Amino acid sequence: MPEQQPYEAGRAIAGTGMGGAMDLAASEATTLERTPGGPEGTGPAGKPRSLWSDAWRDLRRNPVFLVSALVILFLVFVSVWPSAIAPGNPLTCDLAKAQDGSAPGHPFGYDGQGCDVYTRTVYGARTSVTVGVLATLGVSVFGSVLGGLAGYFGGLWDAVLSRVTDIFFAIPVVLGGLVLLSVVTSNTVWPVIGFMVLLGWPQISRIARGSVITAKQNDYVQAARALGASDSRILLRHIAPNAVAPVIVVATIALGTYIALEATLSYLGVGLKPPSVSWGIDISAASPYIRNAPHALLWPSGALAVTVLAFIMLGDAVRDALDPKLR
């Protein structure tokens, strides 16, 4: 057997990563521990990076995320300040110019009512983004609370919620919108948002339930419970931060779906109604004139497609960054 080295203060043993070890001076060991470019998954001072810091690092290097984020930031800017790039009034129309092509100051031409297609396309972004964001927030909060409580407490509450979500999953979304919104006379976005929250929460609830069930089995949750932490503290401080990632991924992708759903319902005449400005309304109004004035249909359709695609691409990038199994 090799002669055992006597212990010397000020020296340390560091793993070689290949099953062996190497003898280092204390100063050398300290330098290795504090090296920023240490092993993958560690940061300055040898501290392990969190899931969120790793995800942000991956997102910044993902061109899909960068392109989709730029498109979404532009849409948000247009939604907040549409007059910055479209100084006209979307409700001002001139029948004498109906179905005319592009003209100076009106690059997208005119629709069948003589309204400026460019101005209506820009102002339509405000409605679509507002409906998508508010519906996603409502669905995420409502579904996460119900699903999280069911997953944490289980028992009768979990069984009842599971059966209720099964019932809602059986309702076709478009058919449900035709039935529920056909009796609504309000011309605001709130009935449409309320309908989306009503039929959209089961998906988020099921995702949150499964994520909470997985998180509550971890050792740090058991340790917090053994130390006497209350259920509310365990849920808010320990489980929620570690179970919210799947909900964020699904909500980001669903945002684009809700924008498309609003346009579909408005196209069918049960969503937003004139004089509201919506891409779905403009697509519906331009459909009869597709041969004579295709530009009135293509521009709002293109804006809708780009918006939905941007949010779906953003959701895919966030999913890839937050799901360690996909790395």
Side-chain angles (χ1 to χ4, degrees):
M1 295 180 59
E3 183 178 355
Q4 185 177 3
Q5 294 289 339
Y7 174 77
E8 298 181 12
R11 304 193 65 82
I13 301 297
T16 62
M18 297 179 290
M22 58 182 177
D23 194 13
L24 298 176
S27 58
E28 295 171 339
T30 304
T31 303
L32 178 62
E33 181 186 7
R34 296 182 179 177
T35 301
E40 184 68 19
T42 60
K47 296 181 180 179
R49 288 193 296 263
S50 66
L51 172 65
W52 301 104
S53 61
D54 277 347
W56 176 238
R57 183 198 60 181
D58 294 340
L59 288 174
R60 288 181 298 175
R61 300 175 180 178
N62 190 343
V64 173
F65 169 78
L66 296 177
V67 172
S68 59
L70 288 176
V71 174
I72 292 173
L73 288 176
F74 175 75
L75 289 170
V76 171
F77 172 78
V78 169
S79 301
V80 177
W81 296 289
S83 59
I85 62 174
N89 188 339
L91 301 179
T92 300
C93 305
D94 186 358
L95 285 175
K97 299 179 180 179
Q99 302 182 21
D100 286 354
S102 60
H106 307 278
F108 294 175
Y110 298 87
D111 62 10
Q113 300 297 322
C115 303
D116 183 22
V117 176
Y118 171 74
T119 302
R120 290 188 64 85
T121 301
V122 171
Y123 276 83
R126 168 182 288 180
T127 301
S128 296
V129 173
T130 300
V131 170
V133 170
L134 293 181
T136 301
L137 289 176
V139 167
S140 300
V141 172
F142 188 62
S144 297
V145 171
L146 291 181
L149 293 177
Y152 182 77
F153 292 104
L156 180 62
W157 173 261
D158 187 19
V160 171
L161 183 66
S162 297
R163 301 294 76 80
V164 172
T165 55
D166 291 339
I167 294 174
F168 276 90
F169 273 125
I171 302 176
V173 177
V174 176
L175 179 60
L178 290 173
V179 174
L180 296 178
L181 295 178
S182 60
V183 297
V184 176
T185 58
S186 175
N187 196 34
T188 64
V189 300
W190 297 110
V192 179
I193 295 173
F195 162 75
M196 293 181 181
V197 173
L198 179 63
L199 292 187
W201 69 267
Q203 181 185 17
I204 297 292
S205 176
R206 182 159 292 182
I207 297 295
R209 172 183 174 274
S211 185
V212 168
I213 290 177
T214 302
K216 75 175 184 178
Q217 298 174 357
N218 292 326
D219 293 338
Y220 57 84
V221 176
Q222 303 301 328
R225 184 178 289 111
L227 291 174
S230 62
D231 290 333
S232 59
R233 180 178 179 85
I234 293 175
L235 276 170
L236 297 177
R237 295 292 300 274
H238 301 286
I239 292 182
N242 294 282
V244 73
V247 175
I248 293 177
V249 172
V250 175
T252 305
I253 299 177
L255 201 157
T257 305
Y258 293 139
I259 292 177
L261 179 59
E262 180 274 321
T264 301
L265 295 175
S266 298
Y267 177 87
L268 296 174
V270 296
L272 297 177
K273 303 174 182 64
S276 298
V277 181
S278 168
W279 289 333
I281 294 176
D282 291 350
I283 294 172
S284 177
S287 297
Y289 312 105
I290 187 172
R291 292 186 177 181
N292 299 328
H295 58 273
L297 176 65
L298 294 178
W299 287 112
S301 301
L304 175 63
V306 170
T307 301
V308 174
L309 179 61
F311 280 105
I312 292 178
M313 290 171 57
L314 180 69
D316 288 340
V318 173
R319 179 196 60 194
D320 295 342
L322 290 178
D323 191 349
K325 297 179 182 178
L326 298 178
R327 294 179 185 172

